[in-house]
């Protein structure tokens, strides 16, 4: 399978990754589902389970509707101490590409800052993505699946916001 | 056919579970009313050892999310379990619990 993208396509893919991170870092949760296709999957899984092929995941959403439901939870129903996130996302590595889809992965580090506290490393791992070319969509691409495999077995406190 | 010795029967507590690690794998060994059963030790849902779980009759409950397996058949009995658990033929030889490993 071809793994080359045109320079324009790669730059737009790069921007997609950066805008995704920017949207989350700004706390614009309502805009988060816009990065996904209607039929999609979003999962956050510890590496210990991913490497063993075990299904246990910290978050596992199977449609855009579930992503919207999560946003509603963040806004209305979950009880938690708010925090800021800061994503540092590496350049995506394209592993497969065809006319309609691109498979890619990228390392990420997410830092967490609580009010009146020092910044902590919150979650570090790798996005493993399947993206659809979507010229009509706002960001030019849509995630059909995003799997966040994080390296530590532990999550400090809890995971409220998406990565 | 290979029979793998795991543990002396004297070390098996009644109606409880112990874990044994071998190069061939990690195994959970149960003794229920005098009968010995052996399954894989790793839960099929997440990275947890069943020997750290709770044995109720012939059901082992995973300590992580309370999924239960039937130790006789390996059947997954409730959510969040989907995949059954590998279980092994057992014989007692020279006071040792031995299991038969399938040729893969």
């Amino acid at each position: 399978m071809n793994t080359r993208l045109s320079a324009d396509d790669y730059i737009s893919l790069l921007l997609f990754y950066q805008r995704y991170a920017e949207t989350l870092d700004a706390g614009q949760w309502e805009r988060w589902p816009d990065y996904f296709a209607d039929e999609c999957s979003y999962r956050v899984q510890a590496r210990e389970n991913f490497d063993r092929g075990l299904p246990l995941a910290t978050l596992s959403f199977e449609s855009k509707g579930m992503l919207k439901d999560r946003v509603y939870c963040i806004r209305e129903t979950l009880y938690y101490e708010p925090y800021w996130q800061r994503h540092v996302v590496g350049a995506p590595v394209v592993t497969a590409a065809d006319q309609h889809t691109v498979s890619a992965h990228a390392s990420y580090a997410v830092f967490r800052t609580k009010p009146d506290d020092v910044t902590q490393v919150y979650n570090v791992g790798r996005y493993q993505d399947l993206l659809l070319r979507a010229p009509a969509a706002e960001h030019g691409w849509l995630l059909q699946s995003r799997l966040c495999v994080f390296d530590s077995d532990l999550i400090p406190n809890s995971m409220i916001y998406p990565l | 056919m290979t029979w793998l010795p795991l543990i002396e029967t004297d070390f098996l507590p009644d109606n409880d579970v112990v874990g044994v690690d071998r190069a061939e794998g990690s195994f959970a060994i149960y003794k229920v009313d005098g009968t010995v059963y052996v399954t894989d030790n790793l839960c099929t849902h997440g990275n947890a050892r069943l020997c750290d779980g709770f044995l109720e009759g012939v059901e082992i409950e995973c300590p992580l999310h309370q999924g239960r397996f039937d130790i006789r058949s390996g059947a997954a009995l409730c959510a969040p379990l989907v995949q059954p658990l590998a279980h092994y033929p057992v014989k007692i030889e020279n006071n040792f619990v031995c299991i038969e490993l399938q040729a893969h």
Side-chain angles (χ1 to χ4, degrees), chain B residues 15-18 28-30 32 39-72 74-81 85:
Chain B
N15 298 306
D16 207 346
V17 53
V18 292
I29 302 155
Y30 318 83
V32 179
T39 69
D40 273 351
N41 201 9
L42 179 66
C43 180
T44 62
H45 174 235
N47 186 24
R49 300 195 312 167
L50 294 173
C51 67
D52 297 329
F54 307 94
L55 184 65
E56 291 185 39
V58 290
E59 297 179 5
I60 183 70
E61 184 182 81
C62 177
L64 210 51
H65 297 106
Q66 289 72 54
R68 281 181 287 110
F69 296 99
D70 187 319
I71 62 172
R72 298 167 300 181
L77 299 174
C78 65
L81 304 178
L85 187 65

Side-chain angles (χ1 to χ4, degrees), chain A:
Chain A
M1 191 180 283
N2 185 15
T3 60
R4 297 288 298 270
L5 287 185
S6 71
D8 282 351
D9 279 354
Y10 187 74
I11 288 168
S12 97
L13 189 72
L14 199 56
L15 279 173
F16 178 88
Y17 275 73
Q18 295 304 318
R19 287 192 178 124
Y20 178 100
E22 219 170 52
T23 297
L24 295 188
D25 292 349
Q28 296 172 333
W29 312 122
E30 284 74 11
R31 296 185 57 204
W32 173 56
D34 295 342
Y35 289 88
F36 290 83
D38 288 343
E39 289 185 19
C40 65
S41 121
Y42 174 82
R43 303 178 72 219
V44 178
Q45 191 177 36
R47 186 174 187 155
E48 62 168 357
N49 291 311
F50 175 78
D51 285 349
R52 290 173 172 83
L54 297 170
L56 173 57
T58 305
L59 297 176
S60 185
F61 304 139
E62 293 167 5
S63 68
K64 196 170 184 171
M66 285 183 79
L67 303 185
K68 290 178 178 172
D69 190 53
R70 181 66 180 180
V71 172
Y72 185 82
C73 288
I74 292 169
R75 291 289 190 210
E76 304 291 342
T77 64
L78 290 174
Y79 187 76
Y80 59 92
E81 186 184 9
Y83 56 91
W84 289 108
Q85 290 193 138
R86 180 71 54 198
H87 285 64
V88 178
V89 179
V93 176
V94 175
T95 54
D98 64 25
Q99 263 187 306
H100 307 292
T101 63
V102 164
S103 298
H105 58 255
S107 292
Y108 67 81
V110 179
F111 301 88
R112 177 178 73 170
T113 309
K114 291 183 176 182
D116 300 324
D117 210 345
V118 295
T119 299
Q120 294 176 308
V121 177
Y122 178 61
N123 194 281
V124 172
R126 193 164 96 149
Y127 293 131
Q128 300 197 184
D129 300 329
L130 181 62
L131 299 113
L132 306 175
R133 293 176 194 266
E138 183 185 354
H139 306 291
W141 300 85
L142 290 170
L143 286 162
Q144 188 166 64
S145 70
R146 166 155 279 188
L147 171 62
C148 314
V149 180
F150 59 98
D151 292 334
S152 173
D153 306 344
L154 302 173
I155 292 169
N157 299 122
S158 58
M159 184 170 288
I160 305 295
Y161 308 131
L163 300 172

